Amino acid sequence: MFTLPDEHPGRFGWFATLPMPDIAACATEAGRALDELGADGVTLLANNQGTYLGADGQDELWRMLDDRGAVVFVHPAELPAPTVENIPPFAADFLLDTTRAAYLLVRNGIVRSYPNIRFFLSHAGGFVPYASHRMAVTIAGDSGRSPLDVLDDFRTFYFDTALSSSPAAQPTLLAFARPGHVLFGSDWPFAPTSAGPYFANGLDTGVDAATLRAVNHTNAQTLFRRLGGTPVPAPPTTLRHSARRTTARLVFQLVRPRTD
């Protein structure tokens, strides 16, 4: 039996969906999919039975994925709580679900402890670009880290444009994301039929030609090494950046509310 990636290896790839919340089974299946079956990455739901990515006890899986420099596509699920009448989950809840997972992956040090994993958030990362500074200040309050360091961790994420290439969301995403970290997405076949052309048109008409080419093609070629690209290295932390982070950390400590 042939699959699209077999027939068109330069155009199609695939992700293996992992059986969370069983961490041992996930690690085993990730190894099989990446090492034996040739998967281009793995898919994890933001939460499984109320347990979010980034929670305690998941290190066996993160070690496995970090060793392989894996792409981990994070997709939302329904929130572990009753829905609100007249608010479909895909309208707001899914965005919060992704944001919760991203928050914990940063807050609990997963993205920093396992830097070879390339986490890829759907739907422009939910609320991450918009709320990143607010979340960074909150995490800094918990940890004593510089908010700028926390923002750097949030900016390690990759993002797709599924249902997000609007005149409001798209500029925020492009202003926040690192160069090379935004890729085209459509949410096909789950999104309403009219939504695909609507948001694709927003991308086509809302950015310059170089950005459009990068989002549509070259960023994916870079992220997925099988397609022949070269991974984009993380920007170096210059002396100036280090000084800014030290200053930000000291200022934050001064204004941090006392708990005694």
Side-chain angles (χ1 to χ4, degrees), residues 4 7 20 22 28 50 88 101 106 123 128 145-146 148 152 155 166 184 206 210 213 215-216 219 232 238 246:
L4 281 174
E7 296 175 347
M20 291 287 273
D22 189 326
T28 299
V106 170
H123 313 130
V128 167
R145 296 169 56 197
S146 164
L148 296 177
D152 276 351
R155 295 184 73 231
S166 71
F184 177 80
R213 183 169 58 253
V215 172
N216 280 342
N219 291 346
V232 177
T238 65
T246 300

Side-chain angles (χ1 to χ4, degrees), residues 4-232:
L4 281 174
D6 292 328
E7 296 175 347
H8 306 281
R11 297 186 61 195
F12 293 94
W14 63 281
F15 292 167
T17 301
L18 300 183
M20 291 287 273
D22 189 326
I23 298 300
C26 279
T28 299
E29 184 61 16
R32 187 177 79 93
L34 296 169
D35 298 344
E36 300 176 23
L37 303 181
D40 294 286
V42 300
T43 297
L44 289 168
L45 294 180
N47 93 85
N48 293 265
Q49 300 176 19
T51 298
Y52 275 88
L53 302 182
D56 292 338
Q58 299 172 353
D59 290 279
E60 179 183 358
L61 175 60
W62 304 136
R63 283 193 296 269
M64 152 73 71
L65 296 171
D66 187 71
D67 287 344
R68 288 156 177 78
V71 175
V72 176
F73 183 63
V74 178
H75 195 278
E78 291 194 11
L79 294 175
T83 59
V84 177
E85 185 177 1
N86 294 324
I87 302 180
F90 68 82
D93 292 359
F94 284 178
L95 302 176
L96 176 58
D97 198 51
T98 301
T99 304
R100 286 176 168 181
Y103 185 97
L104 289 176
L105 288 168
V106 170
R107 185 215 181 267
N108 293 339
I110 305 305
V111 298
R112 188 161 288 245
S113 298
Y114 302 98
N116 296 319
I117 300 175
R118 291 161 290 165
F119 287 102
F120 185 6
L121 307 181
S122 56
H123 313 130
F127 303 127
V128 167
Y130 176 82
S132 55
H133 287 254
R134 178 172 180 157
M135 294 191 294
V137 168
T138 304
I139 292 172
D142 287 343
S143 64
R145 296 169 56 197
S146 164
L148 296 177
D149 288 337
V150 179
L151 281 170
D152 276 351
D153 287 351
F154 276 113
R155 295 184 73 231
T156 64
F157 290 120
Y158 289 79
F159 306 87
D160 78 15
T161 63
L163 306 183
S164 303
S165 299
S166 71
Q170 185 167 271
T172 304
L173 172 61
L174 293 174
F176 175 74
R178 281 182 179 170
H181 280 227
V182 178
L183 288 74
F184 177 80
S186 67
D187 220 33
W188 183 88
F190 303 106
T193 302
S194 59
Y198 176 86
F199 287 103
N201 183 66
L203 178 63
D204 290 343
T205 60
V207 299
D208 61 82
T211 300
L212 181 62
R213 183 169 58 253
V215 172
N216 280 342
H217 299 288
T218 56
N219 291 346
Q221 291 172 329
T222 300
L223 177 61
F224 297 102
R225 297 168 185 170
R226 182 177 60 80
L227 300 178
T230 302
V232 177

